Amino acid sequence: MKKRDGFERDPQADELAQARKKRSRKHFWRRVVILLLVGCLVWGVLFLRYDILRLGLGMRLSDLLASYASGDGYPAELPPGRVLGLSPIGKDLVLLTDTQVSIFNSQGKRTASYEHGYTNPICLTNGDRVLTFDRGGKKFRVDSRSKQLYSGSSDFAIVAADIALSGQVAVAGGSKYYQSSVTVYDQEYDQIYIRETADLVTGVCLTNNGRGMAVTSVAAVNGSLDSTITFFDFGSEDPVASLSLPGELVLSTAYVGRSSAALQVITDQRALTCSPKGEVTASYGFDGLFVNRFVNSKDGGIYLLLDRLGDGNQLQLVSLDAGMKARGSIPLEERVQDMKLGAGYVSLFVSGGILCYPPTLGDPTRPPVENCYFIQPAGHNLYSVTGDSIELYKLDNGGKPASAARESR
């Protein structure tokens, strides 16, 4: 052992002291780095606070927490009022009554409830927002899973409205000096485009990126109804194209896919796809059959329920791909009360229950749904409304009710 100041030194003690100093320095620098990172994060939030608010990141976080909030499960109690319809918002459910809009997550929790006070409410969803408007009235509103985002009004009666995947809203109605007008709002609900026209507007459809729209109008010519679809780009004041459909009545228009520029159109005589230049690129004729119901699929396809006699007794279910080619076609022996689109399947509400068909219309899945009045697929969830409650069925769990699935675990 070495001697210092008359004492002998222990080499092991020196090594321990050096190791402690080394650990102390390491902990010190680790704390310094953590403090620097926290400081940078706080500075970044303060510096970008306007952008965070503008982009709605706070709203999206709040909606995410609402979507996964725990609830009492299903069956869930119905809110007051007469049920008018159901819509999906992600995997969750939007329930519209004659007095309010309610949102339920897949855990059975009612995450939001909004009184609307509309006479003829119509509800549309775009995946994370809910647009409700009063058809024939003058008011409309936009809500999320967790809070109200906007409440607006029109000077004239609203005929149609739409909400884009990117959040823009279009409202079509009357005009002071013209027959019709269409007003477009951005994600912050500022007016960005107004179009007034002498045509009678019956529908409006925003492109998925919210940078343009297709407006449907109708006119009586020589005793028949002629439809016209006019295409707009919000960067240009004048229309960019139009498509005339003599003798046809447009029932629906829809842009499918986030980047797709093709517009799907369903008339009383055919289903077709047209380009932004107003050119028909594909078509599927109904051969004189009546259109009973239809839904547009996110993959670009369409499901059609065609009626041979117009009385609902002889129905044909047709599945079309994005090119308007038939993927499958089957006759139905039961009357169909409703048809809704799910994630990779179409659900038919028939007198004998629920039938869920794949795109090729192969053998259907039959969830054990009983005594319901409304159905709504939302992803792999299938919601149904009975006389006093809402039930949830897990289609990826053999179609079992959510309550039965919990009990079997």
Side-chain angles (χ1 to χ4, degrees), residues 237-258:
E237 184 177 347
D238 297 324
V240 296
S242 65
L243 172 65
S244 180
L245 299 170
E248 295 185 66
L249 180 63
V250 173
L251 306 177
S252 170
T253 55
Y255 287 99
V256 178
R258 288 186 177 274

Side-chain angles (χ1 to χ4, degrees), residues 67-395:
S67 182
Y68 286 93
S70 60
D72 295 331
Y74 288 91
E77 184 180 355
L78 274 176
R82 179 170 58 91
V83 178
L84 300 179
L86 311 176
S87 300
I89 180 168
K91 62 183 176 59
D92 302 330
L93 176 71
V94 179
L95 188 145
L96 175 67
T97 72
D98 56 355
T99 59
Q100 62 185 252
V101 178
S102 300
I103 301 176
F104 292 83
N105 68 13
S106 59
Q107 308 300 315
K109 182 177 180 60
R110 182 159 61 165
T111 62
S113 183
Y114 311 111
E115 300 286 340
H116 56 69
Y118 300 164
T119 301
N120 186 23
I122 304 295
C123 187
L124 305 173
T125 59
N126 74 343
D128 60 4
R129 298 185 184 186
V130 183
L131 168 65
T132 310
F133 67 96
D134 192 6
R135 179 177 288 170
K138 299 180 179 181
K139 295 182 178 182
F140 66 98
R141 59 182 295 144
V142 181
D143 303 292
S144 75
R145 287 181 176 89
S146 58
K147 64 179 181 179
Q148 177 182 330
L149 302 178
Y150 182 72
S151 178
S153 62
S154 171
D155 294 333
F156 300 90
I158 298 173
V159 174
D162 190 33
I163 183 167
L165 285 177
S166 49
Q168 291 86 348
V169 172
V171 178
S175 174
K176 184 175 182 179
Y177 299 107
Y178 294 86
Q179 180 73 39
S180 306
S181 68
V182 181
T183 303
V184 181
Y185 302 81
D186 63 13
Q187 296 97 324
E188 297 177 13
Y189 310 106
D190 295 323
Q191 293 183 8
I192 59 171
Y193 196 84
I194 298 177
R195 178 70 183 183
E196 294 183 307
T197 174
D199 301 326
L200 179 60
V201 172
T202 58
V204 59
C205 181
L206 288 164
T207 58
N208 293 320
N209 60 16
R211 298 174 183 173
M213 65 180 174
V215 176
T216 303
S217 59
V218 66
V221 180
N222 298 325
S224 66
L225 291 176
D226 292 355
S227 296
T228 301
I229 301 175
T230 308
F231 298 84
F232 295 90
D233 186 317
F234 298 148
S236 174
E237 184 177 347
D238 297 324
V240 296
S242 65
L243 172 65
S244 180
L245 299 170
E248 295 185 66
L249 180 63
V250 173
L251 306 177
S252 170
T253 55
Y255 287 99
V256 178
R258 288 186 177 274
S259 60
S260 175
L263 179 72
Q264 289 183 347
V265 182
I266 300 176
T267 76
D268 57 344
Q269 299 178 27
R270 57 176 172 158
L272 57 98
T273 302
C274 57
S275 71
K277 297 181 179 180
E279 301 168 341
V280 176
T281 58
S283 178
Y284 179 88
F286 300 157
D287 296 328
L289 301 183
F290 299 93
V291 183
N292 184 285
R293 299 178 189 276
F294 53 84
V295 289
N296 298 89
S297 175
K298 292 181 179 180
D299 63 5
I302 296 176
Y303 293 95
L304 297 164
L305 197 58
L306 302 179
D307 193 335
R308 295 188 178 278
L309 302 177
D311 59 1
N313 290 318
Q314 294 187 31
L315 299 175
Q316 189 80 13
L317 178 62
V318 180
S319 173
L320 304 178
D321 62 16
M324 298 295 109
K325 302 294 184 181
R327 294 182 290 195
S329 178
I330 57 172
L332 298 175
E333 300 178 354
E334 300 172 284
R335 294 180 67 89
V336 177
Q337 299 170 262
D338 201 359
M339 180 167 70
K340 294 290 184 69
L341 182 70
Y345 65 94
V346 63
S347 291
L348 301 183
F349 179 23
V350 300
S351 56
I354 306 296
L355 303 175
C356 297
Y357 286 95
T360 56
L361 304 186
D363 294 336
T365 301
R366 296 175 178 265
V369 182
E370 297 180 354
N371 303 320
C372 66
Y373 301 96
F374 294 91
I375 63 167
Q376 180 58 64
H380 294 287
N381 296 333
L382 177 65
Y383 296 89
S384 70
V385 172
T386 66
D388 56 1
S389 65
I390 306 169
E391 184 62 272
L392 171 64
Y393 297 84
K394 294 287 188 179
L395 295 183

